[in-house]
Amino acid sequence: MSLQSYYNDKAVYRKMSGGRVRGILALLRPLEGQKILDIGCGAGELGGRLKREISSVVVHGIDISEDAVRNAQQSLDFVVSYDIAGGEPFPE
């Protein structure tokens, strides 16, 4: 089974704890108005929260799971499904 198949078959995406999200937001708050790349963005939970709480931030995401990417497209500015560890050429 490929990694992509494994992640596409997962029924539930893990949610980050509130404390962890608050810590990340505190670290990234100075990036207001900047672009952020969320590697392993999952369903876009963290990136979506960044967009809601830090004004004018642009969040792009990448994740191995096509299912997660479909969900992340609802809240992030740009999302692509790609296995960055797989060594395959990046999709055009």
Side-chain angles (χ1 to χ4, degrees):
M1 172 183 277
S2 73
L3 279 177
Q4 190 167 26
S5 296
Y6 170 78
Y7 283 104
N8 281 337
D9 288 344
K10 289 175 96 172
V12 178
Y13 301 107
R14 294 186 184 126
K15 295 198 175 225
M16 296 179 74
S17 70
R20 181 178 289 174
V21 171
R22 283 189 298 276
I24 292 170
L25 286 169
L27 287 171
L28 297 179
R29 206 165 291 287
L31 296 178
E32 189 169 323
Q34 300 293 311
K35 293 179 183 175
I36 296 173
L37 174 60
D38 186 355
I39 299 173
C41 67
E45 179 183 339
L46 176 62
R49 182 130 176 224
L50 287 168
K51 290 187 63 61
R52 288 190 301 275
E53 296 192 22
I54 301 175
S55 75
S56 69
V57 72
V58 174
V59 180
H60 291 195
I62 185 168
D63 198 273
I64 192 171
S65 169
E66 293 170 355
D67 294 336
V69 164
R70 278 191 282 282
N71 289 318
Q73 287 172 334
Q74 305 302 312
S75 55
L76 305 185
D77 296 293
F78 176 79
V79 189
V80 64
S81 175
Y82 182 67
D83 177 3
I84 62 173
E88 298 174 17
F90 196 82
E92 305 261 339

